[in-house]
Amino acid sequence: MNNKFIRILIIINGILIPIFIGFLLVSFIISEIKSMNETVWADGKYLQQVNEFEVKYDSPKNLPNSENYYVAIRKIYADQYDLYTGDDLLNQIPSNTSNIIFLDKDFNVKGKILQNEGSIVNMYIPKMETAEEIMVGHISYFIADSDTNSDGRIDQNDQHYVYLSDLNGENLKQITDRKVRQYKWINDNSQILLTFKNGEADTNLEFGVYDVKTGEIKQTKNLNTAE
C-alpha cells in the first residue's frame, strides 16, 4: 500500500514539477520581452524607461532688439526624436525646450524664464521690418507648466498657453487662460492676434486682439465655418 502511494506521489511530482518549471520559464521570457519593449536606444546608449531623459544646453544666441543673449535648455525623453530646430523665422528656440536661460551682454546669467521645468514650444521676438514698426521690448511664448494629459511628464503634448515677458525674461505673464491655436504680432508689433481653439472641430472661428500696452483683449465676432 505504501509503495503504491509513493509511486503515485512520484508520478504526480513528475508531472507538476515540469509544469512549474515551464511556468517560471514562460514568466521570465514575458518579463524579458516587456523589458526589451521598454528599452529605447538614444545617443549611443540604451535607456531602460521611456520616461528617462537627457538634458542638453543650446549655444548662446543673441536676443533680437537687445544686446543680451539666451540659452535654450532641452529635455529629451527616450521615446522622443531630437529634431533640432531653432532657426525658424517664427520660432527662435529648438524642439524639446524645457526652459530658457537669459544672459547679459557679458554672458553673466540673469535668470531663467521658468522657476520649474516645463515645455516651451515657441518663443518669438518680432524684428523691425519698417521704420513705422515699434521696437518690441517683449518676448512671446507658447508655454506649458503642468502635466495636463497626466502622462507623468511635461512636454509638447501638454496644453500650452500664450505668455509674454520682458526682453530680459522678467515679468512673465500669461495673457489669456483660453486655449489658443496660434498667435501673430500685428499693427506694427503693438498687438497680438489670437486664434482661439474651440474644441477639436473648431467650426467656430474666433479671434481676440491683445494690446501689449493696455494688457487687454478685444474679442471679435464668431464665424461658424460649418454654416
Side-chain angles (χ1 to χ4, degrees):
M1 182 69 178
N2 289 337
N3 291 337
K4 184 177 180 180
F5 179 72
I6 291 173
R7 285 198 299 271
I8 292 173
L9 289 178
I10 292 174
I11 293 172
I12 293 174
N13 288 335
I15 296 173
L16 293 179
I17 291 176
I19 292 175
F20 180 70
I21 294 175
F23 174 77
L24 292 179
L25 182 61
V26 170
S27 298
F28 175 76
I29 293 174
I30 292 175
S31 176
E32 287 298 305
I33 292 175
K34 183 178 179 182
S35 176
M36 290 176 62
N37 288 337
E38 291 178 346
T39 301
V40 180
W41 178 260
D43 281 358
K45 60 184 178 182
Y46 282 108
L47 300 178
Q48 292 299 323
Q49 301 293 332
V50 294
N51 274 342
E52 287 189 10
F53 60 86
E54 59 178 326
V55 176
K56 294 184 178 181
Y57 290 83
D58 206 10
S59 58
K61 292 184 177 181
N62 181 250
L63 276 168
N65 308 334
S66 170
E67 59 184 4
N68 298 333
Y69 297 84
Y70 69 97
V71 175
I73 304 175
R74 296 190 288 148
K75 190 174 185 180
I76 307 164
Y77 286 92
D79 61 343
Q80 292 176 336
Y81 291 105
D82 185 13
L83 298 175
Y84 186 89
T85 57
D87 298 323
D88 191 332
L89 293 177
L90 298 178
N91 191 9
Q92 291 154 332
I93 54 173
S95 58
N96 305 310
T97 296
S98 62
N99 215 334
I100 299 170
I101 299 174
F102 289 89
L103 314 172
D104 64 17
K105 63 179 181 178
D106 298 317
F107 298 97
N108 297 307
V109 175
K110 303 300 293 182
K112 294 181 180 180
I113 191 66
L114 299 176
Q115 291 185 347
N116 301 309
E117 300 300 310
S119 173
I120 309 173
V121 297
N122 177 267
M123 166 183 160
Y124 181 62
I125 308 170
K127 299 179 182 178
M128 291 180 61
E129 301 294 341
T130 66
E132 290 75 23
E133 289 183 329
I134 299 172
M135 176 71 77
V136 178
H138 296 86
I139 308 174
S140 55
Y141 314 83
F142 259 134
I143 295 177
D145 60 3
S146 62
D147 180 16
T148 57
N149 62 0
S150 302
D151 65 350
R153 63 197 192 191
I154 305 175
D155 59 13
Q156 68 269 19
N157 296 316
D158 290 297
Q159 179 60 53
H160 289 67
Y161 294 93
V162 180
Y163 284 75
L164 278 184
S165 79
D166 297 336
L167 277 180
N168 57 8
E170 296 179 353
N171 299 315
L172 181 70
K173 65 177 180 179
Q174 182 177 334
I175 67 174
T176 177
D177 57 1
R178 294 191 58 182
K179 297 178 181 179
V180 174
R181 179 171 294 279
Q182 62 184 17
Y183 71 87
K184 179 181 180 180
W185 287 83
I186 60 172
N187 296 333
D188 297 330
N189 300 328
S190 64
Q191 296 176 321
I192 300 176
L193 177 64
L194 306 169
T195 304
F196 293 115
K197 186 176 181 181
N198 296 309
E200 294 300 325
D202 267 359
T203 55
N204 289 323
L205 192 60
E206 184 180 358
F207 298 103
V209 178
Y210 177 82
D211 190 281
V212 175
K213 186 176 181 179
T214 64
E216 297 178 351
I217 295 179
K218 179 183 178 181
Q219 302 293 134
T220 65
K221 293 182 179 181
N222 291 7
L223 172 64
N224 191 331
T225 58
E227 295 179 350

